Amino acid sequence: MSVLQKLLSIIMAIIPSWVIIFLKKKKKQVEKQAIVNMLSSTFMVDDINGGDGDLPKGLRRESMPKHLAVILDGNRRWAKKRGLVPVAGYEAGLATIGDFFSLCQTWKIPVVSLFMFSSENWLRPKEEVEYLLELFEGSLKHYLSRYCRRNGGRVSVIGDRSTLPDSLQKAIEEIEEETKDNKGMHLVMAMSYSGQNDIVHACQTIATKVKDGLLQPEDITKSLFEQNLQTNVTDVPAPDLLIRTSGEIRISNYYLWQSAYSEMYFTDTLWPDFGEDEFLKALLVYQQRGRRFGRT
């Protein structure tokens, strides 16, 4: 052992454990403040308002989606292509959400769903997951709450909340309660969400009601089933259009029941690079499709 290593060992033995704990907590506070500062510079609430609702040339108001769902994919690959750490991709992706959110508000899309964090994403590195969850919490506290107060927006979060940190659960409960009666754009954020688990949970809920004599098997209809899915938080549970970025052509356990008749738009563009031009292209493609729902 070198002299320097011996000296360090002696110092660590002398420093009380509470000092080490204090320094770790202080570091955590600094990191959280950095996230708040980043969110404040990323999202300018004053720049996001209802606008006059004018649409870009080529779009038809009557054919705009009532419910738009997005799988925000490609943040890590965006960072890797630039030689950056994964969290840099998430920060860039968060900035894109701000711009995207502004366009949805301006173009008067009533319901917007974002697949923020899947039940499978818990398998990613612990430090990366913790940073992501802190970003989500910061977004709720320092951006979305101010946006909703200014524009009358509503926020709902679906997914398995029991797996989320207590502080994030509290932030979710607070913003949902604060915005529950708002009539503006409804943002549905999927965190620790699984489409398969959503269906299983609905089946369990209905089965329990049948077992308890509250329902008869013949009472079970498609409508009843949909009422027991987590998307019952909105009056428009089925997305008209589902967009996925990054070149993957699958929906990855997201809205499995709800997207039965959704139009799909897949793009190679990574989420941090998904701007107004790409969004407009997706909407134009959507409006060119014939939605027949089984009819000729």
Side-chain angles (χ1 to χ4, degrees):
M1 180 182 292
S2 66
V3 176
L4 182 60
Q5 288 176 320
K6 288 182 179 179
L7 182 60
L8 183 60
S9 298
I10 294 172
I11 293 174
M12 293 302 293
I14 294 174
I15 297 177
S17 59
W18 66 265
V19 174
I20 297 174
I21 295 173
F22 171 80
L23 291 174
K24 286 182 177 179
K25 287 186 175 179
K26 194 67 178 175
K27 180 176 180 290
K28 199 71 172 178
Q29 290 172 356
V30 170
E31 290 173 347
K32 286 193 172 184
Q33 186 59 47
I35 290 175
V36 171
N37 294 338
M38 185 268 293
L39 288 167
S40 298
S41 62
T42 297
F43 296 119
M44 300 300 181
V45 175
D46 292 341
D47 293 339
I48 299 181
N49 51 60
D52 53 17
D54 286 346
L55 295 174
K57 184 178 180 180
L59 287 182
R60 303 184 306 277
R61 169 62 59 196
E62 67 275 11
S63 299
M64 290 293 286
K66 301 294 188 296
H67 183 170
L68 170 65
V70 188
I71 299 175
L72 319 172
D73 198 17
N75 297 305
R76 300 168 92 245
R77 274 169 281 174
W78 184 91
K80 186 176 181 180
K81 283 176 63 176
R82 289 160 177 77
L84 303 172
V85 293
V87 295
Y90 295 127
E91 291 175 0
L94 194 64
T96 299
I97 291 177
D99 296 336
F100 178 78
F101 204 42
S102 178
L103 290 171
C104 290
Q105 174 75 16
T106 300
W107 295 346
K108 308 292 186 184
I109 298 175
V111 182
V112 177
S113 287
L114 302 180
F115 199 10
M116 306 291 292
F117 189 81
S118 74
S119 58
E120 291 80 16
N121 287 153
W122 290 105
L123 299 175
R124 293 184 175 181
K126 183 173 181 290
E127 296 78 9
E128 185 179 321
V129 169
E130 288 178 349
Y131 185 81
L132 259 178
L133 297 179
E134 287 182 357
L135 276 182
F136 297 156
E137 184 177 338
S139 298
L140 293 172
K141 288 181 176 179
H142 305 290
Y143 165 63
L144 286 175
S145 60
R146 286 184 293 159
Y147 160 78
C148 290
R149 283 193 292 268
R150 180 180 175 84
N151 295 288
R154 181 184 170 198
V155 176
S156 297
V157 177
I158 61 175
D160 184 2
R161 296 190 192 184
S162 67
T163 60
L164 301 175
D166 291 342
S167 58
L168 178 52
Q169 291 186 44
K170 182 180 178 182
I172 291 170
E173 292 170 1
E174 288 176 350
I175 197 167
E176 286 187 332
E177 178 64 26
E178 180 183 348
T179 67
K180 65 181 181 181
D181 296 323
N182 291 353
K183 305 302 181 184
M185 187 172 71
H186 190 180
L187 176 63
V188 182
M189 305 172 72
M191 295 185 188
S192 194
Y193 177 81
S194 159
Q196 293 174 329
N197 290 344
D198 197 1
I199 292 171
V200 169
H201 182 265
C203 291
Q204 292 172 335
T205 301
I206 293 171
T208 299
K209 291 179 180 179
V210 172
K211 179 183 176 182
D212 294 341
L214 301 175
L215 282 175
Q216 294 300 315
E218 56 270 22
D219 296 329
I220 302 173
T221 62
K222 185 181 78 167
S223 176
L224 177 70
F225 191 83
E226 288 175 345
Q227 291 170 22
N228 286 276
L229 293 170
Q230 293 188 47
T231 40
N232 62 11
V233 295
T234 173
D235 294 332
V236 191
D240 300 299
L241 172 63
L242 190 153
I243 297 173
R244 178 166 188 162
T245 57
S246 86
E248 304 294 350
I249 308 177
R250 57 178 180 269
I251 59 174
S252 295
N253 202 12
Y254 181 49
Y255 282 179
L256 299 182
W257 173 280
Q258 297 89 336
S259 61
Y261 278 101
S262 300
E263 296 296 326
M264 308 285 183
Y265 180 83
F266 300 100
T267 174
D268 291 333
T269 302
L270 303 177
W271 174 249
D273 294 327
F274 189 87
E276 181 174 352
D277 290 344
E278 187 72 36
F279 189 14
L280 177 57
K281 181 181 177 183
L283 292 172
L284 288 170
V285 169
Y286 164 75
Q287 293 195 352
Q288 291 167 2
R289 295 179 183 173
R291 306 192 70 203
R292 296 183 293 276
F293 299 98
R295 298 185 296 270
T296 58

